[in-house]
Amino acid sequence: MTATTKRNSTFTFLSGIRKDGKCKVTLHYPGSPNMFGGFERGTSYTKLYSANKCREALAENYYEFHNIPAELA
C-alpha cells in the first residue's frame, strides 16, 4: 500500500508590487495519477494580478504561498 500525500497548488510571488499596482505571480497546479497507472503532468501559469486580487487569494488560503512581499504581508 502506498502512502497518500496531498500536494497543494502553489502561488509564488515573482516580484513585489509594481508601479502600476500589479504583482507578477506564478500559479502551479500539481499533477495527478490517471486511471491507467500513469501520472499526469502539472501545469504552471505566470500572470499579473492586482494587489487586491493577491489579497483575496491570501484570504482564501487555498494555495501554498511563497515569497510574499512585505507590502501584502
Side-chain angles (χ1 to χ4, degrees):
M1 192 171 284
T2 60
T4 58
T5 58
K6 185 176 180 190
R7 296 171 48 185
N8 294 333
S9 301
T10 59
F11 192 103
T12 306
F13 291 91
L14 299 177
S15 65
I17 297 177
R18 299 178 347 168
K19 290 181 183 178
D20 61 356
K22 297 193 176 191
C23 297
K24 190 172 186 179
V25 299
T26 297
L27 301 171
H28 177 73
Y29 300 99
S32 61
N34 63 21
M35 63 187 221
F36 302 110
F39 198 76
E40 298 293 329
R41 222 172 35 160
T43 56
S44 289
Y45 303 100
T46 302
K47 297 185 174 195
L48 282 176
Y49 274 3
S50 67
N52 290 336
K53 180 94 173 175
C54 292
R55 286 186 187 100
E56 288 176 15
L58 284 166
E60 288 175 3
N61 203 20
Y62 177 71
Y63 299 101
E64 182 179 311
F65 293 95
H66 299 280
N67 301 334
I68 300 173
E71 297 94 2
L72 296 175

